[in-house]
Amino acid sequence: MRCIIFNRVASFCRKVLNRDASDLDHEELALQVYQRQEHGISRKDISENALKVLYRLNKAGYDAYLVGGGVRDLLLDKQPKDFDIATNATPEQIKQLFRNCRLIGRRFRLAHILFGRDVIEVATFRGHHSDAKPSIKDKKNVSAQSQEGMLLRDNVYGSIEEDAERRDFTINALYYSIKDFSVADYVNGVEDLDNRIIRLIGDPETRYREDPVRMLRAVRFAAKLDMDIEPNTADPIKPLSTLLQDIPAARLFEESLKLLQSGDGLQTYKLLREYNLFQQLFPLLSEHFTEDHSSQTEQMIEHILSATDKRIADGKRVNPAFMFAAMLWYPLVTRAEEVAFASGLAYYDAFMVAANDILDEQVKTIAIPRRFTTTIRDIWQQQTRFNRRSGKRAFKMMEHPKFRAAFDFLEMRGNFESEDIAELAQWWDKFQHGDRNQRSKMVQQINEGGSGAPRRRRRRPQQRRKKPQAKSS
């Protein structure tokens, strides 16, 4: 009997150590509850609107918890960007409680509680598909999977224990209760947080096939939190990276902003390259990659991401259009030269054809909205006009609404291209900061000598005088 008990305990310990939640039975989840004095979360660090939602759900008789990244960041003494809530109330019941509620999502049914621009996301506890017993009428709307295992719909509701198993990473499966201010941990998430490990809940390959975006999230959290991806979680990523090609391009646009414009873009990019994920998001760029990361395209990517990280750290605004314009610039230049050579078009015309081609190809993978692609085209087009400074062209150039962005782009190109580009950027920097007289002199020099030296005036050839014809006698 003792031997049987020992074997069962040893088997359970092995499962916990392997952390494969798909092998654990529901009753084997080891719940750990951290009381108020055992963690550092305080209500003063939680947004007032999130507290309002938690208290109202509790008052109506529902269980409600702060969950996910909000709890994780508070435990790490970071300021959460979002405060998400999990509850046993269904989306329809949540909508009855809040007049400022909007139900969204088909694949995942969610409730958004709107407080002006502040949005509190409330999700109903997820359940296991095998436990779902929908009516014939609702069967099509509850859950569905593709042949590859990707979740197409997932509106199966369950208990908090099931919800913990259904979450992606252990560090995101922590529940803060507003009733007693405790933190419930079903998957040893606090331990992984202390050890700085990103670990997927369940069988990694199965979970990635359910939602390939989880591979991007693993990399993003590793870069953002300066953590290591646990080997079993990391191993399937590269072989399964091509599954991202099945994700809607609109969703990948939103994910690309989280990856590259959240303050850790450069480190995230390096990890994405390592796991063959960046190549799926930007197939055009992958054609210009080298083993030693020395191509102009790679240098430009690292430069723009580093600059973006710095702007975010300084509290400055960033524009996705500028980032995409920089990343795609050298593929555009290469394509323009190919088009000009093959078609015989003038370079400017070939350049504009190539610009349309590059953007059309990129939006198939990442659906960059038109408001950004328009700005990208403007920035690119202005690069072909900076050399045109004679007459009134320089003055008109500065009146263009995208002049500042285009100039910043030109100045950035000076770091990677010929000295002529750097000198051109210096000229425009001096021109835009000069007064009217200084600008006029600079343009006059261009008119007279191109580079600033006075140009010699051409003398008109003197016409020979015709000899008068002798009069006939």
Side-chain angles (χ1 to χ4, degrees):
M1 183 67 179
R2 289 181 179 178
C3 183
I4 295 174
I5 294 174
F6 177 81
N7 288 338
R8 287 182 176 176
V9 172
S11 175
F12 174 72
C13 289
R14 283 195 299 271
K15 289 177 179 179
V16 173
L17 288 174
N18 290 334
R19 309 302 285 274
D20 190 347
S22 64
D23 291 336
L24 295 176
D25 296 330
H26 301 337
E27 64 271 18
E28 288 180 334
L29 279 179
L31 171 62
Q32 299 181 60
V33 178
Y34 297 86
Q35 301 301 331
R36 174 65 187 88
Q37 63 274 15
E38 298 178 283
H39 63 77
I41 297 179
S42 172
R43 280 175 293 173
K44 67 180 181 181
D45 297 322
I46 302 173
S47 80
E48 292 184 8
N49 293 329
L51 290 173
K52 287 178 184 178
V53 175
L54 288 167
Y55 281 127
R56 186 176 295 185
L57 285 167
N58 275 180
K59 187 176 180 181
Y62 299 109
D63 295 330
Y65 299 85
L66 192 67
V67 68
V71 180
R72 177 200 69 218
D73 290 346
L74 289 172
L75 290 173
L76 291 172
D77 293 326
K78 295 178 178 288
Q79 179 60 40
K81 185 178 180 181
D82 302 303
F83 291 94
D84 297 335
I85 292 171
T87 179
N88 59 350
T90 65
E92 290 72 22
Q93 290 170 331
I94 298 168
K95 187 171 178 61
Q96 290 179 353
L97 281 177
F98 298 91
R99 289 185 299 176
N100 54 333
C101 175
R102 180 180 63 186
L103 300 185
I104 67 162
R106 179 182 177 187
R107 181 169 171 267
F108 295 105
R109 195 73 166 154
L110 298 170
H112 278 182
I113 315 298
L114 310 177
F115 297 90
R117 293 187 176 182
D118 188 18
V119 179
I120 305 299
E121 186 172 281
V122 185
T124 305
F125 293 145
R126 302 291 171 191
H128 295 289
H129 291 193
S130 59
D131 299 336
K133 297 179 180 178
S135 65
I136 295 176
K137 180 180 178 182
D138 297 333
K139 189 173 183 179
K140 291 183 179 180
N141 297 321
V142 173
S143 66
Q145 283 182 284
S146 69
Q147 293 180 351
E148 292 75 20
M150 187 186 301
L151 287 175
L152 304 177
R153 284 186 296 279
D154 186 20
N155 294 311
V156 179
Y157 305 135
S159 64
I160 186 173
E161 294 84 2
E162 292 170 325
D163 189 74
E165 289 185 63
R166 291 294 314 280
R167 293 194 172 267
D168 49 10
F169 302 100
T170 59
I171 60 173
N172 289 341
L174 302 170
Y175 298 77
Y176 174 79
S177 172
I178 201 63
K179 284 183 179 180
D180 56 7
F181 317 121
S182 64
V183 173
D185 179 6
Y186 293 87
V187 290
N188 286 343
V190 172
E191 182 181 338
D192 282 344
L193 212 55
D194 291 338
N195 293 329
R196 310 197 70 78
I197 292 175
I198 305 296
R199 191 191 307 270
L200 202 62
I201 301 171
D203 175 63
E205 182 170 345
T206 301
R207 301 308 304 279
Y208 290 143
R209 288 188 180 278
E210 286 179 350
D211 186 2
V213 170
R214 286 177 178 142
M215 295 184 285
L216 299 178
R217 287 168 60 83
V219 167
R220 177 160 63 89
F221 291 140
K224 174 184 176 181
L225 304 173
D226 191 22
M227 293 183 175
D228 296 321
I229 304 177
E230 185 265 337
N232 289 334
T233 300
D235 288 345
I237 294 179
K238 201 168 185 178
L240 298 178
S241 60
T242 54
L243 292 176
L244 286 174
Q245 297 172 10
D246 299 326
I247 300 298
R251 186 182 178 198
L252 288 183
F253 170 74
E254 298 299 332
E255 291 296 328
S256 71
L257 298 188
K258 293 177 185 177
L259 291 164
L260 303 176
Q261 291 201 321
S262 295
D264 305 282
L266 181 57
Q267 181 59 25
T268 304
Y269 158 72
K270 291 178 179 179
L271 284 176
L272 291 171
R273 282 281 302 269
E274 179 183 341
Y275 288 106
N276 195 42
L277 296 172
F278 191 86
Q279 293 86 325
Q280 311 305 319
L281 300 176
F282 297 93
L284 279 169
L285 297 180
S286 65
E287 299 173 7
H288 297 260
F289 288 165
T290 58
E291 291 185 4
D292 59 356
H293 293 227
S294 61
S295 70
Q296 281 185 313
T297 296
E298 291 165 306
Q299 291 177 35
M300 177 67 93
I301 291 172
E302 293 194 11
H303 179 87
I304 187 61
L305 293 178
S306 177
T308 300
D309 290 345
K310 187 177 185 305
R311 287 185 65 85
I312 293 172
D314 294 341
K316 297 179 180 178
R317 296 178 61 184
V318 293
N319 188 342
F322 192 88
M323 179 187 72
F324 288 125
M327 293 169 68
L328 296 168
W329 170 250
Y330 291 115
L332 163 64
V333 171
T334 302
R335 181 71 61 85
E337 291 172 352
E338 293 171 350
V339 171
F341 179 79
S343 65
L345 290 171
Y347 182 77
Y348 177 80
D349 295 329
F351 181 89
M352 296 312 298
V353 170
N356 290 332
D357 288 348
I358 291 291
L359 287 175
D360 288 346
E361 289 182 32
Q362 183 57 60
V363 297
K364 292 177 182 177
T365 308
I366 294 179
I368 305 172
R370 183 174 297 178
R371 65 182 184 277
F372 294 135
T373 57
T374 300
T375 301
I376 293 170
R377 282 191 181 89
D378 284 341
I379 292 173
W380 286 346
Q381 190 175 30
Q382 296 309 303
Q383 303 308 301
T384 65
R385 296 176 176 174
F386 276 116
N387 272 316
R388 306 174 187 176
R389 295 168 286 170
S390 59
K392 297 181 179 179
R393 289 177 175 179
F395 292 96
K396 289 183 178 179
M397 182 80 172
M398 285 190 58
E399 296 174 1
H400 194 282
K402 301 301 179 187
F403 170 79
R404 184 64 204 183
F407 167 75
D408 289 343
F409 193 88
L410 175 70
E411 196 171 40
M412 185 169 59
R413 287 174 54 204
N415 296 314
F416 310 104
E417 299 179 25
S418 66
E419 291 184 5
D420 292 344
I421 297 298
E423 291 175 359
L424 185 62
Q426 290 173 4
W427 189 94
W428 278 102
D429 183 56
K430 184 178 178 181
F431 183 79
Q432 64 180 309
H433 292 105
D435 58 28
R436 183 75 183 180
N437 290 333
Q438 288 175 319
R439 292 175 181 175
S440 297
K441 288 180 181 178
M442 291 177 70
V443 172
Q444 185 177 357
Q445 287 179 333
I446 294 294
N447 293 338
E448 292 177 348
S451 61
R455 185 174 58 187
R456 294 181 179 180
R457 294 183 179 180
R458 293 181 180 177
R459 293 183 178 180
R460 293 182 180 180
Q462 294 182 353
Q463 294 181 354
R464 294 181 179 179
R465 293 183 180 179
K466 295 182 179 180
K467 294 181 179 180
Q469 296 180 356
K471 293 182 180 178
S472 57
S473 55

